[in-house]
Amino acid sequence: MLKGGLGNLMKQAQKMQEEMARAQAELAEMEVTGQAGGGLVSVVMTGKHSVSRVTIDPSVLEEDRDMLEDLLTAAMNDAVQKVEDMTREHLGAVTQGMGLPGGFKLPF
């Protein structure tokens, strides 16, 4: 009886691992847009935290360098937070069935 239970547990773990891998692959292809300065600067980032595009409104280029650097930093941080939120939401469906304690993080 223990053997059957262990076998089922192993099958569930394998299925969950496959679902997690699929969800991570989907996340890698998703994109978010972080913005700063009311959209004057935007950063497009993938689910793997790779920046694929930066857009800067021409009016910002006429301002001082410090302001542009601050806007780029804010847009990047906004994009990172959106990726983290998207990851938590997307993987939540997979990890929900695992019975993990709240706040538990898997190594990704």
Side-chain angles (χ1 to χ4, degrees):
M1 187 159 163
L2 179 62
K3 187 174 182 181
L6 183 59
N8 285 337
L9 184 61
M10 294 301 286
K11 285 180 185 178
Q12 287 176 341
Q14 183 177 358
K15 181 181 177 191
M16 193 174 334
Q17 185 177 19
E18 291 168 359
E19 289 176 6
M20 186 66 71
R22 184 174 53 249
Q24 287 175 324
E26 290 170 357
L27 276 170
E29 295 186 21
M30 292 180 172
E31 290 184 334
V32 299
T33 301
Q35 295 187 346
L40 292 175
V41 174
S42 64
V43 174
V44 177
M45 182 178 286
T46 69
K48 287 187 130 186
H49 295 91
S50 176
V51 175
S52 59
R53 186 171 54 252
V54 174
T55 306
I56 302 170
D57 187 277
S59 67
V60 176
L61 299 174
E62 298 170 5
E63 299 296 325
D64 65 34
R65 180 180 174 154
D66 290 339
M67 185 178 92
L68 176 57
E69 290 172 349
D70 290 345
L71 288 172
L72 281 169
T73 300
M76 293 280 286
N77 288 334
D78 185 44
V80 167
Q81 185 60 53
K82 287 179 178 179
V83 167
E84 296 300 321
D85 292 345
M86 180 179 67
T87 300
R88 197 171 19 261
E89 181 179 311
H90 196 71
L91 296 181
V94 175
T95 60
Q96 186 176 14
M98 295 172 68
L100 297 175
F104 186 82
K105 292 186 176 184
L106 294 173
F108 298 114

